[in-house]
Amino acid sequence: METTTQKTVHNFNAGPSILPRSVFQEASAALLDFNGTGLSILEIGHRTSLFQPIMDEAIGQLKELMALDSDHEVMFLHGGASTQFFQVPMNLLNQGQRAAYTDTGVWASKAVKEARLYGGVDVVCSSADKGYTYLPKQFSVDPRTTYLHLTSNNTIYGTQWANFDLFYEKDVPLVADMSSDILSRRVDFNRFGLIYAGAQKNIGAAGVNVVVVDQTILGKVNRPLPTMMDYRNHIEAGSMLNTPPVFAVYLCMLTLRWLKARGGVAAIEVENERKAKLLYDTIDALPLFRGTVDREDRSRMNVCFVMDDPAQEKEFLATCAAEGMVGVKGHRTAGGFRVSLYNALPYESVEALTSLMRHVAQKKG
Ligand SMILES: *Cc1c(COP(=O)(O)O)cnc(C)c1O
């Protein structure tokens, strides 16, 4: 359905963000006529032989791409990652028990706030003292803690845990918000008790979030859980406890299929590294720009940088806009620039941006 008049855009949005063009093409066709049925994907029952294979494939693809073992189950749920901020402690943390949280950004601190509604919370480390521009690595965790919560990639500030060795060492169940870097690099997902992610950054369309849980950690709280909040019910119902967000799940399925055809997580990791390297190398080579986070903690998904003069930043953003580059402006709380390099972003977009940066730097002499 691509028209020759559609303008070329380089989409660096932080989320919702770029998805593969081929996914949009297939999804737009399915909006009008799904698989030759004469029906739109939006007007078919979810408990039908038309939709069931979509849900099955979405769950199956995710299990395969993440190489999950048989203890780990996958759910597609409503409510975005923010719902998981409370659904996680509701299902895992008894009143009177304690959970440990790492405070590495706004999303992490929102998770802390919600967990406090259900049990004790120990914030074991924080990088708030320096505006979340680094990752705090010196901390200890009580071995009796129910779980340790981390944010794998801090979308707003552009920090990312390079690996999770530090967390594995603590030898307690790990819970991770992986909203903005899930499926972007190889991770031993089976080492986590629970992983959650809003779909709108690397998995698919907004409106659905993915929860991966080691089933052996469930069923240990004694509070009554509303039916829709109890993970066990969703697992048992195959993510069809009620009407799922069918179109959002469909888009996830198509995107996961695309990722697999692309070579899976290991292959996309190589592409993501290459994109991030080009952008960071450019920032480091040009005195006009300055990266804002500690080098060892730099995110391969969200690259944050500034210019020293706010007037020049405004001018650079205008230049980007004129060149069809969207989503370059930093988050309102962090300022400067934030360029997101999610899975679907082509290398060519990073080339376009970095050549513009070099051009602007040259002009300024
Ligand atoms: C985007 C984001 C969220 C919030 O996701 P919603 O789906 O809007 O609730 C939470 N955590 C991280 C790390 C994010 O990047």
Side-chain angles (χ1 to χ4, degrees):
M1 221 156 287
E2 194 140 16
T3 59
T4 47
T5 52
Q6 185 165 355
K7 62 178 189 188
T8 308
V9 166
H10 298 289
N11 183 0
F12 301 107
N13 278 326
S17 45
I18 187 166
L19 290 172
R21 199 75 213 155
S22 60
V23 166
F24 291 139
Q25 280 159 353
E26 196 166 345
S28 21
L31 269 178
L32 296 172
D33 182 4
F34 175 63
N35 275 359
T37 54
L39 294 166
S40 166
I41 177 87
L42 291 181
E43 58 180 348
I44 56 175
H46 55 293
R47 297 184 201 283
T48 59
S49 58
L50 293 174
F51 185 73
Q52 187 67 52
I54 294 174
M55 182 60 93
D56 293 346
E57 185 177 341
I59 292 175
Q61 291 277 15
L62 208 52
K63 282 185 176 169
E64 192 182 327
L65 287 163
M66 296 175 84
L68 296 177
D69 62 27
S70 58
D71 281 339
H72 284 76
E73 266 305 332
V74 167
M75 289 167 268
F76 283 90
L77 304 179
H78 303 257
S82 301
T83 295
Q84 295 312 310
F85 294 162
F86 71 84
Q87 197 170 355
V88 166
M90 194 185 223
N91 277 267
L92 302 184
L93 185 62
N94 261 324
Q95 199 80 43
Q97 287 180 335
R98 305 194 69 80
Y101 276 68
T102 51
D103 173 29
T104 55
V106 160
W107 296 120
S109 50
K110 287 187 177 180
V112 167
K113 178 171 173 243
E114 301 299 298
R116 289 204 163 113
L117 297 171
Y118 296 95
V121 171
D122 298 311
V123 176
V124 291
C125 62
S126 174
S127 50
D129 60 337
K130 288 187 185 158
Y132 296 121
T133 54
Y134 70 102
L135 292 172
K137 300 177 191 83
Q138 305 298 331
F139 62 91
S140 55
V141 174
D142 186 328
R144 286 162 307 176
T145 197
T146 308
Y147 62 83
L148 168 61
H149 180 279
L150 66 109
T151 311
S152 57
N153 180 72
N154 298 281
T155 327
I156 295 174
Y157 310 92
T159 59
Q160 182 180 34
W161 291 101
N163 62 63
F164 302 102
D165 294 348
L166 178 71
F167 294 94
Y168 299 152
E169 275 167 21
K170 308 292 184 208
D171 208 23
V172 294
L174 299 176
V175 171
D177 176 357
M178 294 198 183
S179 292
S180 52
D181 71 349
I182 193 165
L183 301 177
S184 70
R185 55 171 168 166
R186 283 165 304 155
V187 171
D188 187 353
F189 297 105
N190 293 313
R191 301 206 52 171
F192 291 79
L194 191 145
I195 294 164
Y196 61 93
Q200 68 271 24
K201 284 142 190 168
N202 256 340
I203 301 177
V208 65
N209 56 289
V210 163
V211 177
V212 174
V213 67
D214 175 350
Q215 294 185 80
T216 63
I217 68 171
L218 297 178
K220 294 182 182 164
V221 288
N222 36 38
R223 72 175 57 86
L225 296 170
T227 307
M228 280 295 287
M229 285 295 117
D230 190 332
Y231 292 132
R232 290 170 302 175
N233 296 333
H234 288 282
I235 293 169
E236 198 186 315
S239 294
M240 296 245 238
L241 194 51
N242 70 328
T243 315
V246 289
F247 193 61
V249 172
Y250 177 62
L251 259 128
C252 290
M253 186 279 278
L254 292 178
T255 309
L256 294 168
R257 206 187 254 178
W258 168 88
L259 179 56
K260 188 175 167 201
R262 192 111 186 166
V265 175
I268 211 76
E269 177 177 16
V270 174
E271 293 188 45
N272 288 334
E273 296 267 339
R274 191 166 162 251
K275 289 184 287 184
K277 182 174 184 337
L278 176 59
L279 184 48
Y280 282 118
D281 283 353
T282 306
I283 293 168
D284 293 340
L286 302 173
L288 193 61
F289 299 98
R290 184 164 47 81
T292 50
V293 310
D294 283 9
R295 268 167 206 257
E296 63 177 21
D297 299 328
R298 282 175 162 180
S299 167
R300 273 85 98 211
M301 289 284 103
N302 313 97
V303 177
C304 294
F305 56 105
V306 293
M307 288 166 96
D308 286 324
D309 174 8
Q312 289 204 0
E313 286 190 341
K314 227 175 137 197
E315 192 186 326
F316 181 68
L317 284 174
T319 311
C320 287
E323 296 295 321
M325 294 176 191
V326 303
V328 179
K329 197 174 178 354
H331 187 269
R332 59 197 148 77
T333 59
F337 312 111
R338 171 180 53 178
V339 170
S340 299
L341 308 175
Y342 296 121
N343 286 355
L345 185 86
Y347 186 74
E348 292 69 38
S349 288
V350 188
E351 282 183 320
L353 175 66
T354 50
S355 77
L356 184 70
M357 289 166 73
R358 280 192 302 271
H359 180 73
V360 168
Q362 220 162 36
K363 251 189 5 198
K364 304 264 176 210

